[in-house]
Amino acid sequence: METLYWLINTQTLGGLVVVIVFGVVVTLYFFMLRWIVAGANVADDGDT
Amino acid sequence: MSHLESTVFATLRKTGIRFYILFGVLAALVVWGVFAYIYQLIEGLGVTGLSRPVYWGIYLTNFVFFIGISHAGTLISAILRVTQANWRRSITRIAEAVTVFALCVGGLQILIDMGRPDRILNMIFYGRYQSVFLWDLTCIGIYFMSSITYLYLPMIPDFARMRDKLTDIARWRKWLYTLAALGWKGNHEQHRRLEIAIAIMAIAIIPIAVSVHTVVSWIFGMTVQPMWHSTIFGPYFVVGAIFSGIATLFIAMAIMRKVLRLEAWLTDKQFDYLGLLLLVMSAFWCYFTFAEYLTTVYSALTHEMHVADAKLYGEYAWAFWLMVFCNAVVPFAILTRRAGRTVMGTVIASVFINIGMWLERFTIVAPTLTRPSLAFEHAIYQPSWVEISITVGSLALFALLFVIFFKLFPSLAIWEVEEGIEIEERNRINKQLSLEDLRAMEKA
């Protein structure tokens, strides 16, 4: 409980949480786009 | 080139005088708003009607209003996608664009309200996560990034189409479409991956959108101010957001239908179905408003009654009863009848609803702050010309972003609409075949 209180009540840590969350979300979306782009290199069944 | 393609591409190719006039008027209003903001930045928040204890006014009203209408889009589009409603295909692009631009303008209101916009960085440098403002920053930030991605994903095949087919456009536009198409080839695997990504985003964005307006409501709900400290504020705000979001979507759809000649794809059917949804949201809004005010007035706590009295028959009664008229009387009078759920009927109802929902946010923000539970005399809040100019400028900015976006990019998700036409055709043939089978069996 004390750790949780420290976590939510320490200045700068809040900002750090926001930055980490944003970073994770942007990275996820970047990899999703990359995965779609990479789909262009996979040959369709009819092409092989 | 299909009829759909040629209609959508026609507005991207040609620019008429009407576009420049509209662009000029909106840009002039935005410039006026910017001028008012620069004046406020130089002179300080003293040029607004804000003072102690009224520390929030129409900037916060605008913030909640714009974040509310951002639910138009993505939430409606996502729900319709998840439920596989085929009629959604021609409205999703408009809905998703409403979301992104409403979030841009809504977020801007916070910077404007701060007086010193550089201090927004203090939230990152010194923020503690117990603060509701950080929850807000997290949810709105994620929603913004998700909405942009959700708008962008279905546009990729359209970008490729523009890259390949729009040969008579400026070089920078060609470059823009090529870059945005991400080398799209449109093979089966790429389509499969795109569909999976859109489906994941559609499911993920629904709880994100709900969290956004819930947390926005907690800016008020987590305080102990009279008529703010309410447990139903979360769902009340979410319902209001979807309500005003659909109303904004109607206005955007009707304008684009007329101006871009999209009558064949934005049909009466969509206006009828969405009109019913708008009516349902009006009923939900009435229920929450009634519950909120009844519990306050019935318990009759002194501080709460000061605010309730001001809203029901005092200083803010005009705003409160006009809100009730716009959000309850007008939608029920128009939308309950099938004949009312036409393009014209839904647009009239939507304009009233947007006015009503802005007033709802105003009657949440201002009356409580003019009558706080602290030992203050009752205050008066009168928005100044600066606040009104910035508000008008913000509305114009929202419209301007919309106009520029649809001047550069297709107003409909062409590949999705084509897919929908194919599905409908297949269903029609299957139905016809099964009827023929049935007749053959009967004969046998």
Side-chain angles (χ1 to χ4, degrees):
Chain A
M1 205 63 193
E2 272 179 31
T3 314
L4 182 67
Y5 182 79
W6 172 82
L7 199 68
I8 63 165
N9 204 32
T10 306
Q11 70 171 23
T12 310
L13 271 187
L16 202 63
V17 170
V18 174
V19 170
I20 290 170
V21 170
F22 282 10
V24 169
V25 171
V26 169
T27 310
L28 277 176
Y29 292 160
F30 170 75
F31 280 113
M32 189 169 71
L33 284 175
R34 222 173 70 147
W35 179 64
I36 294 169
V37 171
N41 303 324
V42 179
D44 286 347
D45 291 344
D47 297 345
T48 51
Chain B
M1 201 181 276
S2 66
H3 177 44
L4 171 65
E5 255 186 6
S6 57
T7 311
V8 174
F9 286 168
T11 53
L12 304 177
R13 280 200 173 107
K14 289 178 202 151
T15 308
I17 187 76
R18 284 191 308 175
F19 172 81
Y20 289 113
I21 293 170
L22 181 65
F23 183 88
V25 170
L26 292 172
L29 290 171
V30 173
V31 169
W32 176 248
V34 171
F35 167 75
Y37 176 65
I38 291 170
Y39 177 69
Q40 177 190 297
L41 201 62
I42 294 167
E43 297 293 325
L45 283 175
V47 298
T48 66
L50 301 171
S51 61
R52 284 184 196 165
V54 190
Y55 47 84
W56 287 340
I58 60 172
Y59 295 149
L60 247 287
T61 305
N62 294 341
F63 165 70
V64 183
F65 176 74
F66 278 113
I67 299 294
I69 60 174
S70 77
H71 282 54
T74 307
L75 193 56
I76 299 302
S77 158
I79 290 171
L80 295 179
R81 234 185 253 275
V82 170
T83 55
Q84 295 187 335
N86 212 26
W87 56 274
R88 73 163 201 277
R89 292 172 187 272
S90 49
I91 61 171
T92 48
R93 176 74 44 83
I94 303 170
E96 288 151 16
V98 167
T99 296
V100 172
F101 302 136
L103 281 173
C104 292
V105 181
L108 209 59
Q109 302 303 312
I110 295 298
L111 289 176
I112 294 166
D113 186 66
M114 287 184 75
R116 283 273 305 271
D118 54 300
R119 291 191 176 173
I120 192 88
L121 292 173
N122 288 356
M123 284 178 81
I124 301 294
F125 295 143
Y126 308 111
R128 292 179 297 161
Y129 216 72
Q130 62 167 256
S131 165
V132 186
F133 295 121
L134 277 192
W135 310 350
D136 246 33
L137 184 65
T138 312
C139 291
I140 295 175
I142 294 174
Y143 188 44
F144 184 60
M145 290 183 283
S146 306
S147 297
I148 289 178
T149 311
Y150 191 55
L151 171 68
Y152 178 63
L153 286 177
M155 287 180 81
I156 297 173
D158 288 344
F159 281 130
R161 204 180 278 239
M162 289 191 288
R163 175 197 63 194
D164 300 336
K165 294 191 177 178
L166 290 181
T167 47
D168 52 345
I169 52 169
R171 195 180 287 176
W172 68 269
R173 279 177 71 179
K174 187 90 180 159
W175 174 83
L176 177 69
Y177 299 147
T178 307
L179 186 75
L182 298 175
W184 176 264
K185 283 186 183 168
N187 57 343
H188 175 73
E189 179 61 20
Q190 226 179 357
H191 259 293
R192 192 185 69 84
R193 290 185 182 192
L194 181 72
E195 298 268 9
I196 291 172
I198 293 173
I200 292 170
M201 288 302 298
I203 294 166
I205 214 153
I206 295 172
I208 296 172
V210 171
S211 79
V212 167
H213 228 61
T214 305
V215 174
V216 166
S217 83
W218 286 345
I219 292 175
F220 306 99
M222 292 295 177
T223 68
V224 286
Q225 293 276 37
M227 289 203 78
W228 279 5
H229 192 57
S230 164
T231 53
I232 67 163
F233 253 32
Y236 186 27
F237 270 51
V238 173
V239 163
I242 300 172
F243 188 33
S244 59
I246 301 171
T248 308
L249 181 57
F250 266 124
I251 298 169
M253 276 167 62
I255 294 171
M256 293 187 65
R257 182 182 196 261
K258 180 84 181 160
V259 176
L260 306 182
R261 299 193 180 91
L262 301 175
E263 288 89 348
W265 300 282
L266 296 175
T267 62
D268 293 343
K269 189 173 156 186
Q270 274 112 337
F271 284 86
D272 181 24
Y273 289 179
L274 269 179
L276 270 178
L277 197 56
L278 193 63
L279 185 66
V280 170
M281 295 319 295
S282 174
F284 272 121
W285 182 86
C286 291
Y287 164 71
F288 275 106
T289 304
F290 181 71
E292 176 66 12
Y293 282 82
L294 182 72
T295 48
T296 303
V297 175
Y298 197 86
S299 55
L301 295 169
T302 311
H303 290 305
E304 301 250 328
M305 282 313 288
H306 287 161
V307 180
D309 286 347
K311 290 193 200 186
L312 295 175
Y313 38 79
E315 190 187 341
Y316 294 98
W318 66 270
F320 180 82
W321 293 110
L322 184 57
M323 167 191 87
V324 172
F325 177 76
C326 291
N327 290 348
V329 179
V330 174
F332 272 84
I334 295 176
L335 301 173
T336 41
R337 292 172 304 120
R338 171 69 190 80
R341 294 194 299 276
T342 56
V343 179
M344 184 56 81
T346 50
V347 168
I348 292 170
S350 298
V351 170
F352 275 96
I353 289 165
N354 267 321
I355 294 168
M357 286 311 296
W358 190 91
L359 287 171
E360 190 228 40
R361 274 69 193 252
F362 181 70
T363 53
I364 286 173
V365 175
T368 294
L369 288 175
T370 53
R371 291 154 177 80
S373 50
L374 295 169
F376 269 107
E377 287 292 313
H378 287 183
I380 292 170
Y381 172 63
Q382 195 77 44
S384 71
W385 70 267
V386 175
E387 288 166 283
I388 293 166
S389 301
I390 291 175
T391 300
V392 172
S394 301
L395 288 166
L397 178 64
F398 176 66
L400 187 64
L401 290 171
F402 212 79
V403 167
I404 294 171
F405 182 81
F406 285 114
K407 187 67 215 155
L408 290 175
F409 307 118
S411 45
L412 305 178
I414 301 172
W415 67 279
E416 278 196 287
V417 175
E418 282 177 349
E419 199 177 71
I421 294 168
E422 267 174 38
I423 290 170
E424 271 182 14
E425 189 65 18
R426 213 178 305 140
N427 287 345
R428 197 181 58 79
I429 292 168
N430 285 344
K431 210 172 165 184
Q432 211 169 355
L433 283 176
S434 52
L435 270 172
E436 279 168 11
D437 285 349
L438 210 67
R439 279 190 202 121
M441 277 170 69
E442 273 174 2
K443 273 185 188 171

